[in-house]
Amino acid sequence: MYSIPFLLAVARVSVVQAVVASSRDGSSETQLTPDAIGDFPAVAFGNVHPTSSTTRPRCKAFPGDSSWPRESEWSRLNNTLGGALIHPLPPGSVCYSTSSNFNAEACSFLLRNASRTTFYQDDPVTILTQWPQGNTCLVSQNPSGNCTQGGYPVYVVNATSVKHVQAAVNFARNKNVRLVVKNTGHDSGGRNTGAGSLSIWTHYLKGFGFLPNYQQPGGNYRGPAARVGAGLQVWEAFAHAERYNVSLPAASCLTVGSYGGWITGGGHSPLSSTFGLGVDQVLSLQVVTADGRYVTANPQANQDLFFAMRGGGGSTYGVVTSAIVKAHPQINLTIASFSFTVANTTSTTPGPSVTIADIETFWKGFNEVFAFGIPTVDAGGYLWTNGIQLGSNSYQMQVQAQMPGLTPIEAASFVQPLLDTLNKLGIPVAITAPTTQVYSSQTGSRGVAPGNGYFASRLFPRSTFENATLFAAAMKAARATVEAGYVFHGLNMAPTLKVAGYPAPAGLNPIWRDVVMHADVFTGANMGALTSAEGAAVQRRLNGYMDALRVATPGGGAYFNEADILEPNWQTSFFGVNYDKLVQVKHERDPWHVFWAPTTPGSEAWAVQASSELPTQNGRLCRV
Ligand SMILES: Cc1cc2nc3c(=O)[nH]c(=O)nc-3n(C[C@H](O)[C@H](O)[C@H](O)COP(=O)(O)OP(=O)(O)OC[C@H]3O[C@@H](n4cnc5c(N)ncnc54)[C@H](O)[C@@H]3O)c2cc1C
Ligand SMILES: *[C@@H]1O[C@H](CO)[C@@H](O)[C@H](O)[C@H]1NC(C)=O
Ligand SMILES: *[C@@H]1O[C@H](CO)[C@@H](O)[C@H](O)[C@H]1NC(C)=O
Ligand SMILES: *[C@@H]1O[C@H](CO)[C@@H](O)[C@H](O)[C@H]1NC(C)=O
Ligand SMILES: *[C@@H]1O[C@H](CO)[C@@H](O)[C@H](O)[C@H]1NC(C)=O
Ligand SMILES: *[C@@H]1O[C@H](CO)[C@@H](O)[C@H](O)[C@H]1NC(C)=O
Ligand SMILES: *[C@@H]1O[C@H](CO)[C@@H](O)[C@H](O)[C@H]1NC(C)=O
Ligand SMILES: *[C@@H]1O[C@H](CO)[C@@H](O)[C@H](O)[C@H]1NC(C)=O
Ligand SMILES: *[C@@H]1O[C@H](CO)[C@@H](O)[C@H](O)[C@H]1NC(C)=O
C-alpha cells in the first residue's frame, strides 16, 4: 500500500508515467487481500504490536517435526500463490544415480556447458559459493555419496508479484518456518539459503519503467529516474539504461542483482567516486515487511526502513520488491590498463605488459600504484588492481584506471604521472590507447556457475593513505598476502557524502564516506575439496594476514557484501556506529524474527545448529 505522501507525489508528477511504469512491470503489483486469505489463517497478516503474548519456540520448525506444516497446508499455500510454490532438488541431483531425477545427459550439460548459459541463474536454489549449503550434492562426473537437500531450502516461492511475497512471509511467520530470500545467489556467506526453509526467490521480479521527470516526495530530487524490479540483474538493468540513454550504476559483474543484495548491502561500482554507492541511487523502496504488509519507504515515509535497507543488509528487515532509483546522464567508462611482472625473463621493450627482473623494484612499483589511488578517486575514478603470485619469486601486478567521463586521450594523460614514476624505477610500462565505451553498453558473459572459494576484505580509510607510517604498514601487509599466495584485489574508490548527494543518510557503515579503497584478499582454496577442519584452517590462516591489514587501517572496516562471514567484531566492522540503530529497526519491524541471515543486525540471537566448523546453513535455526 502506498503511503499518503507518496500517492500525492506520484499524482503531482504524472499519473500517466506511473501507470506506464506499472503496466510495463512484468512483476505484478497485485497484493494479498482478505478474500485471498479467506479461511486460511496461515497466510493472515501479523500485528507488530500483538495483544496477546506470542509463543516463542526455541527453534524454527524443521522437516520431520510435528510442528512442520502438513502437506495439505503447503498445498493450500500453493493455491494462494496460484501455483508458484516449488519443491526443488539441488541442481546437482541429476548427477547422482540414487537420485529420483538422475539424468546423465543433464549432468553432462552441467559439467560442460551450463556455465556459459543462464541455467544456474534460473535455478531456484543455486547459490554461487557452495560451502554454506554444506557442500551437499556437488555437481560431479563421479559423485560419491547421495544427493541430500543439505542447506538448500525445502520449498521456494517463485515470486512474480507482491502477493506472492506477502503470502510467503505470512506463512513462514505464522507457521514458524525458517524464511530466506534469494535473488541471484551471489552472496558468498550463505545469507541466501537455509536448511528446512521456505525461500522467497525474487529473480522474476523483472519490472522496469523509465520515469523521465520523476519528482521525489519532499521535492529534493527532480529528474530522470527508473522504477526497477528487485530481480533485475546488471545486464538487464544496463540494457534498459542503454535504451533510455541513462546510466544506472551497478556491480561490475553482469550477473549480480542490482536491486536485491547490491543496494541493501552497499553496492560499489566503477561509478562510485562519481555517483556514489548503490544505496545512494535509491529514492524510494517498495517493501514487504515482516508483518506481511506492503509499504513504501522513502525519506518521508517509513524512514526507519529506508535507512536500514540501504546498507544495513538485505534479508533481515523485509523484502524489497521494487525501487525507484536515480537515472544519471549517460557516461562513458574509459579504461587505461597495464601490468608488470617480475620473473627471470625480462622484456625491456616499453609496453602495456612488461617483465622486470628485480624483485624489490617490483614491490616499489606495487606501492606506487596504490599511492596513485588518491589522485584516481579524487578525479572520480576507480583504480582496479590485482597483485598475484605466479610462481616462486615471480609476481604480477595488473592495473586498470577506470575513469568515468574521460576521453581516451584524457585518461592516457591522467595516468602518465604514474607511468613516469614506474619508468623511473625501472619498470618500462607504457599504455596503448585506453578503451572507452558507453557505461551501460557493457557486454560480457551472462553465464555463471557455482564456485567454492574463500576470501576476506578490508575498507581502507583515507587516513591510511595520507599517513606515511600507516601507508607503509598497509603496503607491507598487502605484500605479505601476495607473498603468501593470496590474490590482493584492490578497488580504490571514494563514495563521499559529496558525490552521494541526496538522500545521503543510510544504514551502511558511515566510514564508507571516508574510504579510499576496498580490497578483497582471495585464497586459492576449493572449499568443496576440503574437510570441515581444513576449511576452518583456511579461514584462520587468512584471518592472520587480515589482522596486519586491520592494524594498518585504524578506523577502517569491511564491506558487508564482500567479506569473511567470520569477520571478527563484524557488528562494528560492517556497520560501524550505525549498528545499534539498525538493531533497533530490526526489533521494531520484525519482533517475530521471521527474517534471519548470518551477520545481519540482531542475528546474534539465533544460530544454525550445523556440525561444520565453518558457519554453514546446513542445520536447524535455533535461538541462542
Ligand atoms: C562475481 C561477483 C562479483 C561481484 N561484484 C560486485 C561489485 O562489483 N560491486 C559490489 O558492490 N558487489 C559485488 N559483489 C557482491 C554482491 O554485491 C553481493 O554478493 C550481493 O549481495 C549480491 O546480491 P544478489 O541480490 O545478486 O544476490 P543474493 O545472494 O541472491 O542475495 C544477497 C543477499 O541479499 C538478500 N536479498 C536479495 N534480494 C533481496 C530483496 N529483494 N529484499 C531483501 N533482501 C534481498 C539475500 O537474502 C541475501 O542475503 C560481487 C559478487 C560476486 C560473486
Ligand atoms: C504448485 O502448483 C502447481 C500448479 O498446480 C504445480 O505445478 C506445482 O507442482 C505445485 N507445487 C508443489 C510444491 O506442489
Ligand atoms: C556443450 O558444449 C560442447 C562444446 O564444448 C558442444 O560440443 C556441445 O554440443 C554442447 N552441448 C550442449 C547440450 O549444449
Ligand atoms: C544412498 O542411497 C541408497 C539408496 O537410497 C542407499 O541404499 C544408500 O545406503 C545411501 N548411501 C549413503 C552413503 O547414504
Ligand atoms: C518461475 O516463474 C517464471 C515466471 O513465471 C517462469 O518463467 C519460470 O519457469 C519459473 N521457474 C521455475 C523453476 O518454476
Ligand atoms: C545521450 O546522453 C548524452 C549525455 O547526456 C548526450 O550527450 C547524448 O547526446 C545522448 N544521446 C542521445 C542519442 O540522445
Ligand atoms: C631468478 O633466478 C635466481 C637463480 O635461479 C633465483 O634465485 C631468483 O629467485 C629468480 N628470480 C625470480 C624473480 O624468479
Ligand atoms: C563514448 O564512447 C563511444 C564509443 O563507444 C564514442 O563513440 C563516443 O564518442 C564517446 N563519447 C565521449 C563523450 O567520449
Ligand atoms: C600516523 O599514524 C600513526 C599511527 O596511528 C600515528 O602515531 C601518527 O601520529 C600519525 N602521523 C600523522 C602525521 O598523523
Side-chain angles (χ1 to χ4, degrees):
M1 229 180 312
Y2 288 115
S3 66
I4 306 270
F6 187 82
L7 265 183
L8 290 177
V10 169
R12 221 183 301 127
V13 185
S14 156
V15 172
V16 175
Q17 272 166 28
V19 171
V20 169
S22 62
S23 67
R24 277 215 201 98
D25 213 332
S27 68
S28 157
E29 293 271 324
T30 309
Q31 293 183 43
L32 185 66
T33 59
D35 267 1
I37 296 168
D39 62 352
F40 187 41
V43 293
F45 290 100
N47 180 358
V48 272
H49 303 294
T51 43
S52 60
S53 67
T54 44
T55 54
R56 289 168 43 107
R58 199 179 74 83
C59 298
K60 300 279 183 178
F62 204 76
D65 291 354
S66 60
S67 64
W68 181 254
R70 292 184 303 274
E71 284 290 325
S72 59
E73 291 173 295
W74 288 108
S75 175
R76 284 201 72 176
L77 173 63
N78 198 11
N79 289 344
T80 307
L81 294 167
L85 189 68
I86 319 175
H87 196 16
L89 291 174
S93 56
V94 292
C95 298
Y96 290 71
S97 58
T98 50
S99 180
S100 59
N101 65 338
F102 172 67
N103 179 332
E105 201 182 320
C107 180
S108 160
F109 169 77
L110 295 188
L111 286 161
R112 291 160 58 201
N113 304 60
S115 66
R116 293 192 296 274
T117 72
T118 61
F119 172 87
Y120 284 112
Q121 294 159 60
D122 299 337
D123 178 75
V125 295
T126 293
I127 55 170
L128 294 170
T129 298
Q130 304 215 292
W131 67 263
Q133 54 84 344
N135 282 324
T136 184
C137 201
L138 298 178
V139 171
S140 163
Q141 191 91 62
N142 297 302
S144 60
N146 291 334
C147 176
T148 59
Q149 201 70 15
Y152 288 119
V154 184
Y155 287 97
V156 173
V157 175
N158 185 359
T160 54
S161 69
V162 170
K163 177 184 172 181
H164 289 162
V165 177
Q166 293 178 297
V169 169
N170 285 347
F171 187 85
R173 187 192 61 250
N174 293 330
K175 305 303 285 183
N176 189 39
V177 169
R178 183 175 177 189
L179 184 68
V180 300
V181 182
K182 176 176 117 81
N183 184 23
T184 66
H186 277 81
D187 180 77
S188 50
R191 300 186 184 107
N192 42 18
T193 198
S197 70
L198 169 64
S199 170
I200 297 176
W201 188 30
T202 57
H203 179 61
Y204 287 101
L205 295 171
K206 297 282 193 192
F208 184 90
F210 184 56
L211 309 171
N213 300 303
Y214 177 74
Q215 190 182 330
Q216 178 79 341
N220 290 298
Y221 180 90
R222 185 181 205 138
R227 183 188 293 274
V228 290
L232 286 171
Q233 291 173 270
V234 173
W235 62 271
E236 294 165 316
F238 278 0
H240 289 300
E242 200 180 2
R243 182 144 60 99
Y244 294 102
N245 194 32
V246 293
S247 301
L248 299 174
S252 297
C253 174
L254 296 183
T255 54
V256 169
S258 292
Y259 308 112
W262 191 74
I263 53 163
T264 54
H268 66 79
S269 79
L271 305 187
S272 289
S273 308
T274 302
F275 295 142
L277 295 168
V279 300
D280 302 319
Q281 310 313 312
V282 183
L283 297 167
S284 188
L285 291 170
Q286 293 301 124
V287 181
V288 173
T289 46
D291 57 3
R293 292 193 170 79
Y294 182 51
V295 303
T296 296
N298 62 32
Q300 272 71 39
N302 296 298
Q303 293 95 333
D304 59 333
L305 279 180
F306 187 65
F307 173 84
M309 296 195 80
R310 285 158 51 251
S315 56
T316 185
Y317 316 97
V319 183
V320 175
T321 56
S322 67
I324 294 176
V325 295
K326 298 171 188 169
H328 299 277
Q330 192 54 275
I331 194 167
N332 274 11
L333 184 62
T334 303
I335 304 180
S337 312
F338 63 89
S339 71
F340 52 93
T341 303
V342 58
N344 267 339
T345 44
T346 61
S347 69
T348 45
T349 336
S353 171
V354 300
T355 304
I356 58 164
D358 185 61
I359 204 143
E360 286 312 316
T361 301
F362 175 86
W363 293 113
K364 281 182 192 152
F366 179 90
N367 294 356
E368 291 298 343
V369 169
F370 287 106
F372 198 66
I374 293 283
T376 306
V377 302
D378 288 348
Y382 188 75
L383 188 66
W384 177 106
T385 49
N386 263 340
I388 300 174
Q389 185 182 58
L390 297 178
S392 58
N393 287 318
S394 179
Y395 301 94
Q396 185 171 68
M397 183 64 167
Q398 304 168 347
V399 185
Q400 292 183 9
Q402 305 195 357
M403 307 304 297
L406 296 194
T407 63
I409 289 170
E410 288 166 345
S413 71
F414 176 75
V415 295
Q416 196 54 50
L418 171 60
L419 300 179
D420 292 345
T421 304
L422 295 172
N423 293 169
K424 266 184 224 130
L425 285 174
I427 303 172
V429 277
I431 53 166
T432 45
T435 61
T436 193
Q437 71 179 129
V438 170
Y439 175 70
S440 54
S441 73
Q442 291 177 69
T443 52
S445 175
R446 294 173 183 179
V448 70
N452 216 342
Y454 206 95
F455 70 100
S457 70
R458 189 71 188 160
L459 292 172
F460 294 61
R462 192 176 277 261
S463 52
T464 287
F465 275 66
E466 290 182 346
N467 175 319
T469 314
L470 291 176
F471 185 70
M475 289 298 102
K476 190 173 169 223
R479 169 178 175 170
T481 68
V482 184
E483 288 177 332
Y486 300 114
V487 173
F488 187 89
H489 175 51
L491 291 171
N492 283 100
M493 67 185 111
T496 60
L497 280 175
K498 187 160 177 270
V499 300
Y502 176 83
L508 90 169
N509 192 337
I511 65 135
W512 262 109
R513 302 314 183 181
D514 196 37
V515 154
V516 292
M517 182 164 80
H518 156 65
D520 295 310
V521 182
F522 294 102
T523 72
N526 171 6
M527 304 299 274
L530 303 180
T531 63
S532 153
E534 288 165 345
V538 165
Q539 190 278 336
R540 278 195 303 273
R541 177 174 184 262
L542 173 60
N543 193 51
Y545 285 90
M546 296 310 295
D547 277 340
L549 286 168
R550 292 179 186 120
V551 169
T553 51
Y559 174 30
F560 171 77
N561 267 346
E562 294 181 289
D564 183 353
I565 200 77
L566 287 176
E567 170 77 14
N569 307 314
W570 59 265
Q571 294 88 342
T572 308
S573 212
F574 295 162
F575 305 104
V577 297
N578 280 343
Y579 190 69
D580 292 345
K581 189 169 173 191
L582 294 170
V583 172
Q584 194 187 335
V585 175
K586 168 69 178 174
H587 288 326
E588 284 170 8
R589 289 290 179 170
D590 184 12
W592 308 273
H593 289 267
V594 60
F595 296 107
W596 186 87
T599 76
T600 56
S603 60
E604 306 91 333
W606 297 75
V608 174
Q609 317 285 295
S611 57
S612 169
E613 284 188 48
L614 287 175
T616 77
Q617 299 308 309
N618 189 10
R620 274 173 195 271
L621 180 62
C622 298
R623 289 177 201 271
V624 174

